[in-house]
Amino acid sequence: MTFRRKRTAILISGRGSNMRALIDRAANPSFPAEIVLVLSNRPDAAGLAFAKENTIACAVVDHKIYAGREEFERSMQVLLELHRIELVCLAGFMRMLTPWFIGQWQERLLNVHPALLPAYRGLRTHERALADGVKIHGCTVHFVVPAMDEGPIIAQAAVTVRDSDTPSSLAARVLAQEHIIYPTALGRVAEGRLHVQGNRVYFGEPATEPPPLRVPFAE
């Protein structure tokens, strides 16, 4: 049987550190996803230069020139269809997506969030975790649904919160884990060996109820 990698696009708004981790992992020809497009809503996004250096097609759809979110997203959708995209990864893409766009990519649109969902949805996750005095923090890769920072969880990684932590130091350790689990989660999705039932992601038959992919605690 011929091995065919899933054509994948990454959506960014800035430097795209998770984009880099995905591109680096996908550079291995045995990885089941191939990064074929990096799309940004900002012409000055620093991540575009890295993508070009890695001979990946780049495109910009500047949201500022559109009257509304759906008009902006329909232009993105045209580009994604032109490039025959099968999977989409959000990597620091700082735009809220409409239910229309999300519906085009049901169970094919991935995001990474800097917290152990369902805890700490939204912004300033590290500050809030420290303020609450939690001892464990982390990150989550999930399928995107219309509700913000919800959707079936594909992978999670946890880090120990240190007494000396600041939001910046905690963010740095969480980001290092994002760079590990995001490519791994994309690989699992691209392999097609998981399925969603309700709000659960299964890597085998539902009856076996395996937990979402997790990595050990990072100190």
Side-chain angles (χ1 to χ4, degrees), residues 68-114:
R69 284 194 293 162
E70 190 165 321
E71 292 84 354
F72 159 68
E73 291 173 353
R74 287 186 182 277
S75 290
M76 287 202 304
Q77 182 69 17
V78 168
L79 281 170
L80 294 171
E81 291 175 357
L82 283 173
H83 286 268
R84 307 190 310 283
I85 298 302
E86 298 169 277
L87 297 172
V88 177
C89 292
L90 306 181
F93 186 68
M94 304 304 290
R95 300 295 299 172
M96 291 291 293
L97 296 169
T98 66
W100 176 84
F101 183 85
I102 293 169
Q104 308 305 305
W105 297 95
Q106 186 174 1
E107 295 177 14
R108 297 187 295 150
L109 178 61
L110 287 69
N111 183 48
V112 62
H113 181 72

Side-chain angles (χ1 to χ4, degrees), residues 47-73:
L48 293 171
F50 182 83
K52 291 175 182 176
E53 290 168 4
N54 284 269
T55 65
I56 295 170
C58 295
V60 174
V61 180
D62 190 344
H63 66 277
K64 294 179 181 178
I65 68 173
Y66 291 89
R69 284 194 293 162
E70 190 165 321
E71 292 84 354
F72 159 68
E73 291 173 353

